[in-house]
Amino acid sequence: SSQRTEEDRVEFLTGIIDAISLGTTIALLIRNKDARSVDYDHIKDAYRPSHADFAWDAKFGIRDFRGGGRASARETASRVVGGAVAQQLLSQQNISVQAWVSAVGNLEMPYPSEVKEDAIYANEVRCPNPQSAIKMIELIKLVRSEGDSIGGVITCVIKGPPAGLGEPVFDKLHACLGKAMLSINAVKGFEIGSGFNAASMRGSQHNDPFILNENKITTSTNNSGGIQGGISNGQDIVFRVAFKPVATIMKEQESVNAAGEKVSVKGKGRHDPCVVPRAVPIVEAMAALTLADHFLRNRLSRI
Amino acid sequence: SSQRTEEDRVEFLTGIIDAISLGTTIALLIRNKDARSVDYDHIKDAYRPSHADFAWDAKFGIRDFRGGGRASARETASRVVGGAVAQQLLSQQNISVQAWVSAVGNLEMPYPSEVKEDAIYANEVRCPNPQSAIKMIELIKLVRSEGDSIGGVITCVIKGPPAGLGEPVFDKLHACLGKAMLSINAVKGFEIGSGFNAASMRGSQHNDPFILNENKITTSTNNSGGIQGGISNGQDIVFRVAFKPVATIMKEQESVNAAGEKVSVKGKGRHDPCVVPRAVPIVEAMAALTLADHFLRNRLSRI
Amino acid sequence: SSQRTEEDRVEFLTGIIDAISLGTTIALLIRNKDARSVDYDHIKDAYRPSHADFAWDAKFGIRDFRGGGRASARETASRVVGGAVAQQLLSQQNISVQAWVSAVGNLEMPYPSEVKEDAIYANEVRCPNPQSAIKMIELIKLVRSEGDSIGGVITCVIKGPPAGLGEPVFDKLHACLGKAMLSINAVKGFEIGSGFNAASMRGSQHNDPFILNENKITTSTNNSGGIQGGISNGQDIVFRVAFKPVATIMKEQESVNAAGEKVSVKGKGRHDPCVVPRAVPIVEAMAALTLADHFLRNRLSRI
Amino acid sequence: SSQRTEEDRVEFLTGIIDAISLGTTIALLIRNKDARSVDYDHIKDAYRPSHADFAWDAKFGIRDFRGGGRASARETASRVVGGAVAQQLLSQQNISVQAWVSAVGNLEMPYPSEVKEDAIYANEVRCPNPQSAIKMIELIKLVRSEGDSIGGVITCVIKGPPAGLGEPVFDKLHACLGKAMLSINAVKGFEIGSGFNAASMRGSQHNDPFILNENKITTSTNNSGGIQGGISNGQDIVFRVAFKPVATIMKEQESVNAAGEKVSVKGKGRHDPCVVPRAVPIVEAMAALTLADHFLRNRLSRI
């Protein structure tokens, strides 16, 4: 859904021979062939509203303004490659990760009973509900025509996790997932299972009863989102991630520059009005990396 | 607000002499004088719904069922002590941390223009709005009479942070705050600044314009919650934390035990229907520890 | 061999129930019952030669001069307890750790064909060679009578390690062992296998030929000390650790104090002329902790 | 001194713009243009004596035999680049790092009163003593003509360190230096200051008296090697590193292969009989990286 044609050619530098990993560090390189620095010249001296420009200058006193530097979402491309490696490890354990766009603006898709991979990739907005998808696409078109941007929500489900992943105190599984998601550009919120709705629920309503299902202990509801006390309980792990509207808009905005002068800023070139659909593989990648990490750590829990 | 009389006497073991820190590790010990193990005997063999019992057994194959072991919120007492040390460091930098209960169940306090420390501690529910506080206390009483429990929301503001705290990619400041909050027992959600509301906003509405205020660069709104691109911009850092209703209730609940048999579980002894007010100092402590950590790390950003 | 009667009573605070570890952090406490602070009053203001006093003041600007604070070898008591836990894990894998005093001053014990645990603990100098032990004890007596101190060497062998422990680049097994040993008070040198002797050897002499022994691949010599390219090869891991003479002596020494004035310093109270025998369990403990750590890490090398 | 023409062209990928570092991660790439895989075909199936081949197979079950893979000393090229960055930081603090070859085989250079950079680089063996250098070069020639290899020792001095670097217990400065040196290929031993000689010294002889020199506290001897209690005391930091003879020799050696069959192995192609001179910049780089790390950490010791 991006107008930029950033060809993401991955070159694996070390750690893999004949398509097999060697057990050592895997290094990879993705060159940004399509960075048009000229598009950024107009903001060289101005602090773009709600971008990292000002905070970055305050921290380092120097900044590579071209393409946003390290603050650019381009950085997440390498996470997607890393996530693909993690997903290979997880698929050996029959663990899968699936994310989709569940809201754009105030258009929210009803929670689905089941989501098929095909349905997610059947449209450019990455929403598996066809009716919702059509409305979301319309809304994004409208927002683009206005030169504005809009936020949204991604829902992610991890299917087939074993019980026992996560650490008791500081590396609770959902805390690690939360940190991973909040490390993605434009994310403003994270909730696991019942999330913010839990605040208005009663315990008798929220508690997930343990039941027996074909001699396996399971729960009849999943308000816990698959994690209890920071440790997975074997149910699906379910979480939601809120994205703000992307900061670059095609409208004139007032701002200041590094010299402390009032300036006017307006986006130029190629920019997406809604980055949420493009963030679906990033959410999946960060979820896979976090799960794979905890899967490996969990092997240390019993000798 | 707890019926348990857990006298939290802190003994500092190392790292402090004559009330001055030595620069080396500070170790402290809080003995749990009031642990009545007998209160837990009835659940020795049963998996309490939405507790960590089952997940813990799946992970370690062994569990100290008395008082919840490491999964007990008692563990957070040491975080509060650590947070007190961090707050001393922050107060030297004129940074302060303030948290309060902003919702219990569906009773939500309107967002305040200013919050005074006195107002928070004027009532047992830790809500600075007197009208809201009265209703919340009523609701908690009702929930207790029903043998049930209820969730809530804590809002936290960090005042006076310098611009420049946080790391560009994996240790974004709000990602670290999110992980810290999600590591607190019963937390199900975290949002920074506009949070989940951001999903339904337009960029033109959400962007925080940079303005000059007495020759200092500031922003006229704070949807960013004080953090942009993972780095503090000098505005107040504002976030919200959602707590589920505590899992222990005084009602009969169906469950299973480790042997895979159906059992009935009911809470006994001393239990709180709403832990949210007691979590206020824990949220403050974890926020102070995270900020102090980043304050120290930031000193490495420029030689 | 210490004249101080430091009763090392260990109190386990968490992580163990009924003598079984719970999988969570084990915390323990050893109180120093016999710290006679008065013994240290005379050096409160003086920098004792070759002690940490001056460096410590330069770093922190504050120091707990009583008993050496964190710089005291008393700190290693907790390492010995930790090592005992690690040794339980290793013994399940048929890995054992054995250290002994191989030199005191210039009295060097000939390298033994075999060392029995009994022989090490048959004398107070922890040297398994009875003839060498007698001479070492004599030497230490002489040094004590002179109010002086003396150094020595500890040799350590890890028997039964599997091949494959250690990481290829930065956490090479012998690098981790070296760091662990150099973290022990008074250690000045570390060598693995042939060590410094390797510098004067030819490759044809130093290389360990691979041979078959009952269909198992082994080596006919062990100049490598059981580690090749940072990774264990299944042979005994052999290393040596050099200890300087303890800095506290009963002789008058010139020094300066914090005010920059010339002062005279002389040890008082109870001090050991040779700490090397007391360091044997510390070397064993640090070796066990390092091996156990790598044993666990190695479980992550293959899924 | 290598016969291999490995052109080490460094490409900086990120973190630097117009020769100025941005404060973010610096990534660099050195392609190995001259890897002649054919040279290694003969050892594809054999375990070369005292190489990492066998241990590596035992660990990972897969190995890139071409050029030694991650176990090759080629890997240290990136450390030298990293060290160059660290040295820029250190030179701003007037800290310099200087290493030289102090022994080849049993030819040991007398300890110098002063070493000039020019003298080290005046000959190919990197020994600042011209008489010793001539003998060393002769010895290496002889060893090469025999198809053999030989070890040596590198001495390193860090000049101008401030007092206060290093951590009290587990990250003692010399423990970190030791680990860094032991992570370099072919290193078998490390000693700080008096090193293994300390074992045979008396305390009265080994202790470094504190004296006043132009109102500055200094020591009249430096057996401590500039570090006391794990923390630098402001004197020169002096250490020695022992290298074994390189394992690849041009002589026929007996070995076994992965199938457990007896094989004969003989080095082919371009190999160095003595790698010690080539290791001088690697020792300097690892020392600079370790010091720079501790210099930054030490800034956290006082607020």
Side-chain angles (χ1 to χ4, degrees), chain C residues 190-191 194-200, chain D residues 151-155 181-182 184-191 240-245 276:
Chain C
F190 170 85
E191 54 182 20
S194 54
F196 276 86
N197 285 337
S200 56
Chain D
V153 175
I154 290 176
T155 297
M181 297 305 142
L182 290 156
I184 300 172
N185 304 48
V187 170
K188 302 299 287 181
F190 171 85
E191 53 183 21
R240 294 172 76 243
V241 187
F243 289 78
K244 70 168 187 171
V276 188

PDB file of all heavy atoms in Angstrom, chain C residues 190-191 194-200, chain D residues 151-155 181-182 184-191 240-245 276:
ATOM      1  N   PHE C 190      46.014 -15.974  34.590  1.00  0.00           N
ATOM      2  CA  PHE C 190      45.202 -17.139  34.240  1.00  0.00           C
ATOM      3  C   PHE C 190      45.812 -17.780  33.005  1.00  0.00           C
ATOM      4  O   PHE C 190      46.191 -17.083  32.067  1.00  0.00           O
ATOM      5  CB  PHE C 190      43.758 -16.699  33.947  1.00  0.00           C
ATOM      6  CG  PHE C 190      42.898 -17.789  33.353  1.00  0.00           C
ATOM      7  CD1 PHE C 190      42.244 -18.702  34.173  1.00  0.00           C
ATOM      8  CD2 PHE C 190      42.762 -17.921  31.968  1.00  0.00           C
ATOM      9  CE1 PHE C 190      41.456 -19.706  33.628  1.00  0.00           C
ATOM     10  CE2 PHE C 190      41.977 -18.930  31.426  1.00  0.00           C
ATOM     11  CZ  PHE C 190      41.322 -19.826  32.266  1.00  0.00           C
ATOM     12  N   GLU C 191      45.906 -19.104  33.011  1.00  0.00           N
ATOM     13  CA  GLU C 191      46.325 -19.773  31.776  1.00  0.00           C
ATOM     14  C   GLU C 191      45.557 -21.075  31.592  1.00  0.00           C
ATOM     15  O   GLU C 191      45.253 -21.776  32.542  1.00  0.00           O
ATOM     16  CB  GLU C 191      47.847 -19.995  31.730  1.00  0.00           C
ATOM     17  CG  GLU C 191      48.443 -20.708  32.910  1.00  0.00           C
ATOM     18  CD  GLU C 191      49.968 -20.847  32.815  1.00  0.00           C
ATOM     19  OE1 GLU C 191      50.617 -20.098  32.066  1.00  0.00           O
ATOM     20  OE2 GLU C 191      50.497 -21.745  33.494  1.00  0.00           O
ATOM     21  N   SER C 194      48.363 -25.397  28.013  1.00  0.00           N
ATOM     22  CA  SER C 194      49.800 -25.096  27.991  1.00  0.00           C
ATOM     23  C   SER C 194      50.126 -23.688  28.472  1.00  0.00           C
ATOM     24  O   SER C 194      51.249 -23.414  28.891  1.00  0.00           O
ATOM     25  CB  SER C 194      50.310 -25.253  26.555  1.00  0.00           C
ATOM     26  OG  SER C 194      49.527 -24.449  25.681  1.00  0.00           O
ATOM     27  N   GLY C 195      49.187 -22.782  28.410  1.00  0.00           N
ATOM     28  CA  GLY C 195      49.339 -21.435  28.945  1.00  0.00           C
ATOM     29  C   GLY C 195      50.537 -20.688  28.406  1.00  0.00           C
ATOM     30  O   GLY C 195      50.798 -20.688  27.195  1.00  0.00           O
ATOM     31  N   PHE C 196      51.274 -20.002  29.304  1.00  0.00           N
ATOM     32  CA  PHE C 196      52.423 -19.199  28.864  1.00  0.00           C
ATOM     33  C   PHE C 196      53.527 -20.065  28.263  1.00  0.00           C
ATOM     34  O   PHE C 196      54.329 -19.581  27.469  1.00  0.00           O
ATOM     35  CB  PHE C 196      52.942 -18.331  30.011  1.00  0.00           C
ATOM     36  CG  PHE C 196      52.183 -17.037  30.140  1.00  0.00           C
ATOM     37  CD1 PHE C 196      51.005 -16.974  30.882  1.00  0.00           C
ATOM     38  CD2 PHE C 196      52.605 -15.898  29.466  1.00  0.00           C
ATOM     39  CE1 PHE C 196      50.283 -15.792  30.970  1.00  0.00           C
ATOM     40  CE2 PHE C 196      51.893 -14.709  29.551  1.00  0.00           C
ATOM     41  CZ  PHE C 196      50.712 -14.655  30.305  1.00  0.00           C
ATOM     42  N   ASN C 197      53.583 -21.349  28.652  1.00  0.00           N
ATOM     43  CA  ASN C 197      54.566 -22.234  28.035  1.00  0.00           C
ATOM     44  C   ASN C 197      54.345 -22.367  26.529  1.00  0.00           C
ATOM     45  O   ASN C 197      55.285 -22.619  25.774  1.00  0.00           O
ATOM     46  CB  ASN C 197      54.500 -23.635  28.665  1.00  0.00           C
ATOM     47  CG  ASN C 197      55.138 -23.648  30.043  1.00  0.00           C
ATOM     48  OD1 ASN C 197      55.971 -22.790  30.357  1.00  0.00           O
ATOM     49  ND2 ASN C 197      54.755 -24.615  30.857  1.00  0.00           N
ATOM     50  N   ALA C 198      53.088 -22.217  26.100  1.00  0.00           N
ATOM     51  CA  ALA C 198      52.771 -22.352  24.679  1.00  0.00           C
ATOM     52  C   ALA C 198      53.579 -21.382  23.832  1.00  0.00           C
ATOM     53  O   ALA C 198      53.908 -21.663  22.674  1.00  0.00           O
ATOM     54  CB  ALA C 198      51.274 -22.111  24.450  1.00  0.00           C
ATOM     55  N   ALA C 199      53.921 -20.234  24.428  1.00  0.00           N
ATOM     56  CA  ALA C 199      54.615 -19.189  23.672  1.00  0.00           C
ATOM     57  C   ALA C 199      55.961 -19.670  23.138  1.00  0.00           C
ATOM     58  O   ALA C 199      56.432 -19.215  22.102  1.00  0.00           O
ATOM     59  CB  ALA C 199      54.800 -17.952  24.549  1.00  0.00           C
ATOM     60  N   SER C 200      56.581 -20.607  23.840  1.00  0.00           N
ATOM     61  CA  SER C 200      57.910 -21.058  23.407  1.00  0.00           C
ATOM     62  C   SER C 200      57.870 -22.434  22.734  1.00  0.00           C
ATOM     63  O   SER C 200      58.898 -23.072  22.536  1.00  0.00           O
ATOM     64  CB  SER C 200      58.867 -21.071  24.604  1.00  0.00           C
ATOM     65  OG  SER C 200      58.340 -21.869  25.637  1.00  0.00           O
TER      66      SER C 200
ATOM     67  N   GLY D 151      54.960 -19.952  18.834  1.00  0.00           N
ATOM     68  CA  GLY D 151      54.137 -19.021  19.620  1.00  0.00           C
ATOM     69  C   GLY D 151      54.893 -17.772  20.026  1.00  0.00           C
ATOM     70  O   GLY D 151      55.988 -17.500  19.516  1.00  0.00           O
ATOM     71  N   GLY D 152      54.320 -17.020  20.955  1.00  0.00           N
ATOM     72  CA  GLY D 152      54.954 -15.787  21.401  1.00  0.00           C
ATOM     73  C   GLY D 152      54.111 -15.067  22.433  1.00  0.00           C
ATOM     74  O   GLY D 152      53.075 -15.567  22.875  1.00  0.00           O
ATOM     75  N   VAL D 153      54.600 -13.888  22.817  1.00  0.00           N
ATOM     76  CA  VAL D 153      53.915 -13.097  23.844  1.00  0.00           C
ATOM     77  C   VAL D 153      53.789 -11.659  23.363  1.00  0.00           C
ATOM     78  O   VAL D 153      54.706 -11.114  22.744  1.00  0.00           O
ATOM     79  CB  VAL D 153      54.695 -13.132  25.181  1.00  0.00           C
ATOM     80  CG1 VAL D 153      54.047 -12.214  26.227  1.00  0.00           C
ATOM     81  CG2 VAL D 153      54.792 -14.553  25.724  1.00  0.00           C
ATOM     82  N   ILE D 154      52.642 -11.056  23.625  1.00  0.00           N
ATOM     83  CA  ILE D 154      52.456  -9.632  23.367  1.00  0.00           C
ATOM     84  C   ILE D 154      52.298  -8.917  24.700  1.00  0.00           C
ATOM     85  O   ILE D 154      51.564  -9.381  25.582  1.00  0.00           O
ATOM     86  CB  ILE D 154      51.231  -9.374  22.461  1.00  0.00           C
ATOM     87  CG1 ILE D 154      51.525  -9.859  21.033  1.00  0.00           C
ATOM     88  CG2 ILE D 154      50.836  -7.900  22.449  1.00  0.00           C
ATOM     89  CD1 ILE D 154      50.357  -9.748  20.073  1.00  0.00           C
ATOM     90  N   THR D 155      53.034  -7.817  24.876  1.00  0.00           N
ATOM     91  CA  THR D 155      52.875  -6.962  26.051  1.00  0.00           C
ATOM     92  C   THR D 155      52.083  -5.738  25.633  1.00  0.00           C
ATOM     93  O   THR D 155      52.278  -5.210  24.532  1.00  0.00           O
ATOM     94  CB  THR D 155      54.252  -6.548  26.591  1.00  0.00           C
ATOM     95  OG1 THR D 155      54.943  -7.718  27.024  1.00  0.00           O
ATOM     96  CG2 THR D 155      54.126  -5.578  27.770  1.00  0.00           C
ATOM     97  N   MET D 181      41.120 -10.490  25.939  1.00  0.00           N
ATOM     98  CA  MET D 181      42.331 -11.053  25.328  1.00  0.00           C
ATOM     99  C   MET D 181      42.151 -12.548  25.053  1.00  0.00           C
ATOM    100  O   MET D 181      42.541 -13.053  24.000  1.00  0.00           O
ATOM    101  CB  MET D 181      43.542 -10.835  26.248  1.00  0.00           C
ATOM    102  CG  MET D 181      43.870  -9.364  26.482  1.00  0.00           C
ATOM    103  SD  MET D 181      44.117  -8.469  24.919  1.00  0.00           S
ATOM    104  CE  MET D 181      43.345  -6.886  25.323  1.00  0.00           C
ATOM    105  N   LEU D 182      41.540 -13.261  25.990  1.00  0.00           N
ATOM    106  CA  LEU D 182      41.324 -14.701  25.816  1.00  0.00           C
ATOM    107  C   LEU D 182      40.302 -14.985  24.712  1.00  0.00           C
ATOM    108  O   LEU D 182      40.157 -16.132  24.277  1.00  0.00           O
ATOM    109  CB  LEU D 182      40.877 -15.331  27.143  1.00  0.00           C
ATOM    110  CG  LEU D 182      41.982 -15.387  28.217  1.00  0.00           C
ATOM    111  CD1 LEU D 182      41.381 -15.457  29.608  1.00  0.00           C
ATOM    112  CD2 LEU D 182      42.923 -16.569  27.979  1.00  0.00           C
ATOM    113  N   ILE D 184      40.683 -13.686  21.802  1.00  0.00           N
ATOM    114  CA  ILE D 184      41.451 -13.614  20.555  1.00  0.00           C
ATOM    115  C   ILE D 184      41.986 -15.005  20.215  1.00  0.00           C
ATOM    116  O   ILE D 184      42.456 -15.732  21.093  1.00  0.00           O
ATOM    117  CB  ILE D 184      42.627 -12.604  20.702  1.00  0.00           C
ATOM    118  CG1 ILE D 184      42.086 -11.204  21.032  1.00  0.00           C
ATOM    119  CG2 ILE D 184      43.468 -12.573  19.426  1.00  0.00           C
ATOM    120  CD1 ILE D 184      43.183 -10.187  21.378  1.00  0.00           C
ATOM    121  N   ASN D 185      41.925 -15.360  18.946  1.00  0.00           N
ATOM    122  CA  ASN D 185      42.373 -16.683  18.512  1.00  0.00           C
ATOM    123  C   ASN D 185      43.786 -16.981  18.990  1.00  0.00           C
ATOM    124  O   ASN D 185      44.652 -16.117  18.922  1.00  0.00           O
ATOM    125  CB  ASN D 185      42.354 -16.760  16.982  1.00  0.00           C
ATOM    126  CG  ASN D 185      40.978 -16.436  16.413  1.00  0.00           C
ATOM    127  OD1 ASN D 185      40.377 -15.444  16.799  1.00  0.00           O
ATOM    128  ND2 ASN D 185      40.484 -17.282  15.543  1.00  0.00           N
ATOM    129  N   ALA D 186      44.013 -18.204  19.445  1.00  0.00           N
ATOM    130  CA  ALA D 186      45.338 -18.736  19.791  1.00  0.00           C
ATOM    131  C   ALA D 186      45.883 -18.258  21.131  1.00  0.00           C
ATOM    132  O   ALA D 186      46.982 -18.657  21.520  1.00  0.00           O
ATOM    133  CB  ALA D 186      46.367 -18.448  18.693  1.00  0.00           C
ATOM    134  N   VAL D 187      45.099 -17.451  21.872  1.00  0.00           N
ATOM    135  CA  VAL D 187      45.591 -16.982  23.179  1.00  0.00           C
ATOM    136  C   VAL D 187      45.398 -18.075  24.232  1.00  0.00           C
ATOM    137  O   VAL D 187      44.346 -18.688  24.327  1.00  0.00           O
ATOM    138  CB  VAL D 187      44.874 -15.680  23.605  1.00  0.00           C
ATOM    139  CG1 VAL D 187      45.205 -15.327  25.062  1.00  0.00           C
ATOM    140  CG2 VAL D 187      45.282 -14.546  22.685  1.00  0.00           C
ATOM    141  N   LYS D 188      46.454 -18.326  25.023  1.00  0.00           N
ATOM    142  CA  LYS D 188      46.408 -19.371  26.057  1.00  0.00           C
ATOM    143  C   LYS D 188      46.616 -18.820  27.464  1.00  0.00           C
ATOM    144  O   LYS D 188      46.451 -19.562  28.445  1.00  0.00           O
ATOM    145  CB  LYS D 188      47.499 -20.430  25.793  1.00  0.00           C
ATOM    146  CG  LYS D 188      47.431 -21.127  24.451  1.00  0.00           C
ATOM    147  CD  LYS D 188      46.161 -21.898  24.233  1.00  0.00           C
ATOM    148  CE  LYS D 188      46.070 -23.184  25.033  1.00  0.00           C
ATOM    149  NZ  LYS D 188      44.817 -23.897  24.746  1.00  0.00           N
ATOM    150  N   GLY D 189      47.028 -17.565  27.598  1.00  0.00           N
ATOM    151  CA  GLY D 189      47.260 -17.045  28.934  1.00  0.00           C
ATOM    152  C   GLY D 189      47.200 -15.540  28.992  1.00  0.00           C
ATOM    153  O   GLY D 189      47.424 -14.855  27.975  1.00  0.00           O
ATOM    154  N   PHE D 190      46.881 -15.022  30.175  1.00  0.00           N
ATOM    155  CA  PHE D 190      46.781 -13.579  30.407  1.00  0.00           C
ATOM    156  C   PHE D 190      47.311 -13.279  31.791  1.00  0.00           C
ATOM    157  O   PHE D 190      47.009 -13.995  32.746  1.00  0.00           O
ATOM    158  CB  PHE D 190      45.313 -13.141  30.308  1.00  0.00           C
ATOM    159  CG  PHE D 190      45.074 -11.720  30.750  1.00  0.00           C
ATOM    160  CD1 PHE D 190      45.247 -10.656  29.867  1.00  0.00           C
ATOM    161  CD2 PHE D 190      44.683 -11.433  32.053  1.00  0.00           C
ATOM    162  CE1 PHE D 190      45.029  -9.347  30.279  1.00  0.00           C
ATOM    163  CE2 PHE D 190      44.469 -10.120  32.469  1.00  0.00           C
ATOM    164  CZ  PHE D 190      44.641  -9.076  31.575  1.00  0.00           C
ATOM    165  N   GLU D 191      48.118 -12.241  31.899  1.00  0.00           N
ATOM    166  CA  GLU D 191      48.516 -11.814  33.237  1.00  0.00           C
ATOM    167  C   GLU D 191      48.559 -10.300  33.327  1.00  0.00           C
ATOM    168  O   GLU D 191      48.919  -9.606  32.384  1.00  0.00           O
ATOM    169  CB  GLU D 191      49.837 -12.446  33.680  1.00  0.00           C
ATOM    170  CG  GLU D 191      50.999 -12.282  32.724  1.00  0.00           C
ATOM    171  CD  GLU D 191      52.265 -12.996  33.206  1.00  0.00           C
ATOM    172  OE1 GLU D 191      52.189 -13.918  34.025  1.00  0.00           O
ATOM    173  OE2 GLU D 191      53.349 -12.585  32.750  1.00  0.00           O
ATOM    174  N   ARG D 240      50.179  -8.878  29.836  1.00  0.00           N
ATOM    175  CA  ARG D 240      50.852  -9.727  28.859  1.00  0.00           C
ATOM    176  C   ARG D 240      49.909 -10.834  28.388  1.00  0.00           C
ATOM    177  O   ARG D 240      49.108 -11.347  29.177  1.00  0.00           O
ATOM    178  CB  ARG D 240      52.115 -10.358  29.461  1.00  0.00           C
ATOM    179  CG  ARG D 240      53.190  -9.321  29.793  1.00  0.00           C
ATOM    180  CD  ARG D 240      54.348  -9.939  30.567  1.00  0.00           C
ATOM    181  NE  ARG D 240      55.238 -10.732  29.735  1.00  0.00           N
ATOM    182  CZ  ARG D 240      55.460 -12.045  29.853  1.00  0.00           C
ATOM    183  NH1 ARG D 240      54.837 -12.753  30.774  1.00  0.00           N
ATOM    184  NH2 ARG D 240      56.299 -12.660  29.051  1.00  0.00           N
ATOM    185  N   VAL D 241      50.040 -11.184  27.116  1.00  0.00           N
ATOM    186  CA  VAL D 241      49.138 -12.155  26.511  1.00  0.00           C
ATOM    187  C   VAL D 241      49.972 -13.231  25.812  1.00  0.00           C
ATOM    188  O   VAL D 241      50.825 -12.913  24.986  1.00  0.00           O
ATOM    189  CB  VAL D 241      48.215 -11.464  25.474  1.00  0.00           C
ATOM    190  CG1 VAL D 241      47.169 -12.428  24.960  1.00  0.00           C
ATOM    191  CG2 VAL D 241      47.563 -10.218  26.061  1.00  0.00           C
ATOM    192  N   ALA D 242      49.724 -14.511  26.162  1.00  0.00           N
ATOM    193  CA  ALA D 242      50.491 -15.617  25.568  1.00  0.00           C
ATOM    194  C   ALA D 242      49.740 -16.229  24.396  1.00  0.00           C
ATOM    195  O   ALA D 242      48.552 -16.537  24.504  1.00  0.00           O
ATOM    196  CB  ALA D 242      50.742 -16.695  26.623  1.00  0.00           C
ATOM    197  N   PHE D 243      50.447 -16.379  23.269  1.00  0.00           N
ATOM    198  CA  PHE D 243      49.863 -17.008  22.075  1.00  0.00           C
ATOM    199  C   PHE D 243      50.523 -18.356  21.831  1.00  0.00           C
ATOM    200  O   PHE D 243      51.748 -18.480  21.872  1.00  0.00           O
ATOM    201  CB  PHE D 243      50.091 -16.121  20.843  1.00  0.00           C
ATOM    202  CG  PHE D 243      49.261 -14.870  20.844  1.00  0.00           C
ATOM    203  CD1 PHE D 243      49.628 -13.783  21.632  1.00  0.00           C
ATOM    204  CD2 PHE D 243      48.115 -14.775  20.075  1.00  0.00           C
ATOM    205  CE1 PHE D 243      48.865 -12.621  21.639  1.00  0.00           C
ATOM    206  CE2 PHE D 243      47.339 -13.615  20.078  1.00  0.00           C
ATOM    207  CZ  PHE D 243      47.714 -12.541  20.862  1.00  0.00           C
ATOM    208  N   LYS D 244      49.732 -19.358  21.545  1.00  0.00           N
ATOM    209  CA  LYS D 244      50.264 -20.667  21.164  1.00  0.00           C
ATOM    210  C   LYS D 244      50.765 -20.611  19.717  1.00  0.00           C
ATOM    211  O   LYS D 244      50.395 -19.693  18.970  1.00  0.00           O
ATOM    212  CB  LYS D 244      49.176 -21.738  21.311  1.00  0.00           C
ATOM    213  CG  LYS D 244      48.059 -21.632  20.291  1.00  0.00           C
ATOM    214  CD  LYS D 244      47.167 -22.871  20.287  1.00  0.00           C
ATOM    215  CE  LYS D 244      46.177 -22.781  19.127  1.00  0.00           C
ATOM    216  NZ  LYS D 244      45.423 -23.997  18.908  1.00  0.00           N
ATOM    217  N   PRO D 245      51.596 -21.575  19.317  1.00  0.00           N
ATOM    218  CA  PRO D 245      51.953 -21.665  17.901  1.00  0.00           C
ATOM    219  C   PRO D 245      50.696 -21.973  17.095  1.00  0.00           C
ATOM    220  O   PRO D 245      49.857 -22.768  17.523  1.00  0.00           O
ATOM    221  CB  PRO D 245      52.937 -22.840  17.855  1.00  0.00           C
ATOM    222  CG  PRO D 245      52.680 -23.621  19.103  1.00  0.00           C
ATOM    223  CD  PRO D 245      52.217 -22.635  20.127  1.00  0.00           C
ATOM    224  N   VAL D 276      51.839 -13.966  15.863  1.00  0.00           N
ATOM    225  CA  VAL D 276      51.899 -13.004  16.965  1.00  0.00           C
ATOM    226  C   VAL D 276      52.048 -11.560  16.468  1.00  0.00           C
ATOM    227  O   VAL D 276      51.300 -10.679  16.927  1.00  0.00           O
ATOM    228  CB  VAL D 276      52.985 -13.410  17.985  1.00  0.00           C
ATOM    229  CG1 VAL D 276      52.915 -12.523  19.213  1.00  0.00           C
ATOM    230  CG2 VAL D 276      52.815 -14.872  18.384  1.00  0.00           C
TER     231      VAL D 276
END
